[in-house]
């Protein structure tokens, strides 16, 4: 088996950054992608806002919990397809309802959940889209954290307090914690072996 086939057969894992809108998911995901690309580690950003803008997960669906659940189920095969090619999917998404997270954990290779903990008050301060204010003013409904509950995860592999640290500090914390995970260490070793023309079995 050559190195590229080895890399594909040991396709690493999936990294999901979840949390309330405004918790810093997209910012941190982009920093993680940048760091991995600088090291020539194959990865792909799947951002919830961008996927919604391009109607990738179901343009006919609403924002109620059942619609959100269906949209999250639609995401699963996309993540699987990316991972099967030896590319690490980095998904930035609210991650509700919790049944979706359970499904990902049961069905995705080395599902790694990174919970960006940030209180609603701080998220409202950061809300340049006025999402929360529109919900408070009853101009918008089905907003997670306002009229729909945000059920905090209890099984996250990594938890980061995004209201207490800068993005630069958070990416260093995240990278350090990822390096402790067996699948991530093996993924890096396989990638480096491929670049050096070596074989890992």
């Amino acid at each position: 088996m050559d190195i590229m086939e080895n890399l594909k057969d040991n396709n690493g894992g999936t990294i999901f950054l979840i949390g309330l809108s405004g918790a810093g998911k997209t910012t941190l995901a982009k920093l993680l992608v940048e760091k991995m690309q600088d090291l020539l580690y194959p990865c792909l950003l799947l951002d919830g806002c961008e996927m919604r803008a391009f109607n990738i997960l179901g343009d006919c669906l609403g924002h109620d919990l059942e619609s959100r659940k269906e949209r999250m189920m639609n995401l699963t095969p996309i993540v699987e397809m990316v991972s099967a090619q030896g590319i690490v999917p980095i998904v930035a998404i609210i991650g509700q309802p919790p049944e979706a997270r359970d499904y990902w954990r049961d069905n995705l290779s080395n599902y790694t959940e990174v919970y960006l903990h940030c209180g609603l008050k701080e998220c409202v301060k950061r809300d340049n889209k006025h999402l929360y204010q529109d919900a408070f003013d009853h101009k918008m409904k089905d907003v997670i954290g306002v009229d729909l509950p945000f059920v905090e995860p209890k099984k996250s592999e990594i938890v980061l307090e995004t209201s207490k640290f800068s993005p630069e500090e958070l990416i260093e914390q995240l990278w350090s914690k990822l390096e402790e995970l067996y699948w991530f260490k093996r993924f890096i070793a396989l990638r480096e072996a491929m670049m050096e023309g070596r074989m890992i079995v």
Side-chain angles (χ1 to χ4, degrees), residues 3-4 7 40 42 189-198:
I3 295 172
M4 192 61 194
L7 183 62
L40 302 181
L190 285 167
R191 181 62 186 175
E192 291 179 347
M194 186 185 75
M195 290 189 289
E196 295 173 7
R198 294 185 287 108

Side-chain angles (χ1 to χ4, degrees), residues 109-127:
S109 174
N110 291 317
Y111 171 75
T112 300
E113 188 174 278
V114 182
Y115 174 36
L116 305 188
H117 181 264
C118 186
L120 181 61
K121 185 175 181 180
E122 179 63 26
C123 289
V124 171
K125 287 181 183 178
R126 301 176 177 185
D127 183 21

